[in-house]
Amino acid sequence: AQTVTQSQPEMSVQEAETVTLSCTYDTSENNYYLFWYKQPPSRQMILVIRQEAYKQQNATENRFSVNFQKAAKSFSLKISDSQLGDTAMYFCAFRVAGAGSYQLTFGKGTKLSVIP
Amino acid sequence: NAGVTQTPKFQVLKTGQSMTLQCAQDMNHEYMSWYRQDPGMGLRLIHYSVGAGITDQGEVPNGYNVSRSTTEDFPLRLLSAAPSQTSVYFCASSYLTSGVAYTGELFFGEGSRLTVL
């Protein structure tokens, strides 16, 4: 079974600063997907960024980037130039790649507060 | 641009009552699923479906039933509610690639907060 661990229950960052959220996972699979989802106070979950395990290049989406370390099973999210709208719960998630694999395993989440 | 719509948003039940949480999507997604979110637990998969007439169990299926008669709708039924089912429920959907796999980007509804007394 796969597990996803987010060791930081809560974090805060000053507006315009950079923050890194940690995520580690445990799996015996070689091919998989990793995700960061954002859940703002309004509660609707949205995808922030996705990484395929077979790609060595770290994914980036505007101010969001990841540091994917496959050997260490680490998948951290960096948010640059933090904005008030980044205040949310952030969930790291994992899914095995391949046909018939549907379960997305989530970490417990990190509550991020951006301080003006 | 509705996306995934869940109803109701809030519900209070007494132990032993039954109810159905509704989920509808207008994106023609083959894959639909139900998650529950509990404090300090992240999200856990209850049931999922890869098409009309096809459903399967997730990580925490006990106490819940589902059916999928159309591509658009995927209701979640609680036949006899228990306090342990107090939670926030999310419906999520996605495309399938070649009918068997999805890229993993889930589109979520806004959630339904259920309290069982």
Side-chain angles (χ1 to χ4, degrees), chain A residues 6 33-35 37-39 42-48 50 52 89 91 93-109, chain B residues 4 9-10 31 35 37 40-45 48 50 57-59 88 90 96 99-113:
Chain A
Q6 293 179 249
Y33 299 100
L34 292 161
F35 309 86
Y37 277 88
K38 171 185 178 181
Q39 186 180 37
S42 64
R43 297 190 297 158
Q44 190 164 22
M45 195 95 64
I46 56 173
L47 179 68
V48 175
R50 176 179 64 203
E52 289 93 339
M89 283 288 291
F91 292 95
F94 170 100
R95 187 178 75 81
V96 175
S101 177
Y102 300 109
Q103 180 157 333
L104 201 59
T105 301
F106 286 85
K108 294 182 179 181
Chain B
V4 179
K9 287 185 169 49
F10 301 93
Y31 177 81
Y35 283 83
Q37 183 180 26
M41 296 290 292
L43 281 81
R44 293 179 292 170
L45 181 64
Y48 66 91
V50 297
Q57 297 180 351
E59 181 183 357
V88 180
F90 288 94
L96 287 181
V100 294
Y102 76 98
T103 63
E105 178 176 1
L106 291 176
F107 295 81
F108 284 83
E110 293 185 354
S112 298
R113 183 177 294 276

Side-chain angles (χ1 to χ4, degrees), chain A residues 8-113:
Chain A
Q8 305 148 315
E10 292 192 40
M11 296 187 72
S12 62
V13 63
Q14 293 283 358
E15 195 175 5
E17 297 293 309
T18 295
V19 64
T20 298
L21 280 59
S22 301
C23 173
T24 59
Y25 57 95
D26 187 24
T27 184
S28 58
E29 301 288 339
N30 188 52
N31 197 12
Y32 47 86
Y33 299 100
L34 292 161
F35 309 86
W36 279 98
Y37 277 88
K38 171 185 178 181
Q39 186 180 37
S42 64
R43 297 190 297 158
Q44 190 164 22
M45 195 95 64
I46 56 173
L47 179 68
V48 175
I49 199 164
R50 176 179 64 203
Q51 175 82 42
E52 289 93 339
Y54 67 87
K55 291 186 177 180
Q56 292 187 342
Q57 186 173 6
N58 289 325
T60 62
E61 288 287 344
N62 301 316
R63 298 182 296 107
F64 298 88
S65 61
V66 298
N67 183 4
F68 173 48
Q69 301 289 331
K70 190 172 184 179
K73 297 181 181 175
S74 171
F75 183 61
S76 61
L77 174 70
K78 185 171 81 171
I79 305 174
S80 304
D81 186 25
S82 297
Q83 301 175 0
L84 295 178
D86 295 333
T87 293
M89 283 288 291
Y90 287 82
F91 292 95
C92 180
F94 170 100
R95 187 178 75 81
V96 175
S101 177
Y102 300 109
Q103 180 157 333
L104 201 59
T105 301
F106 286 85
K108 294 182 179 181
T110 296
K111 184 178 181 181
L112 177 67
S113 299

Side-chain angles (χ1 to χ4, degrees), chain B residues 25-83:
Chain B
Q25 52 91 11
D26 61 358
M27 297 173 283
N28 203 31
H29 287 167
E30 301 95 332
Y31 177 81
M32 295 186 74
S33 58
W34 278 101
Y35 283 83
R36 60 177 288 174
Q37 183 180 26
D38 302 294
M41 296 290 292
L43 281 81
R44 293 179 292 170
L45 181 64
I46 305 171
H47 285 285
Y48 66 91
S49 169
V50 297
I54 306 170
T55 63
D56 206 345
Q57 297 180 351
E59 181 183 357
V60 289
N62 292 339
Y64 307 95
N65 282 350
V66 294
S67 61
R68 183 102 178 263
S69 57
T70 67
T71 299
E72 295 78 18
D73 301 298
F74 189 47
L76 178 72
R77 297 183 184 85
L78 285 72
L79 297 179
S80 180

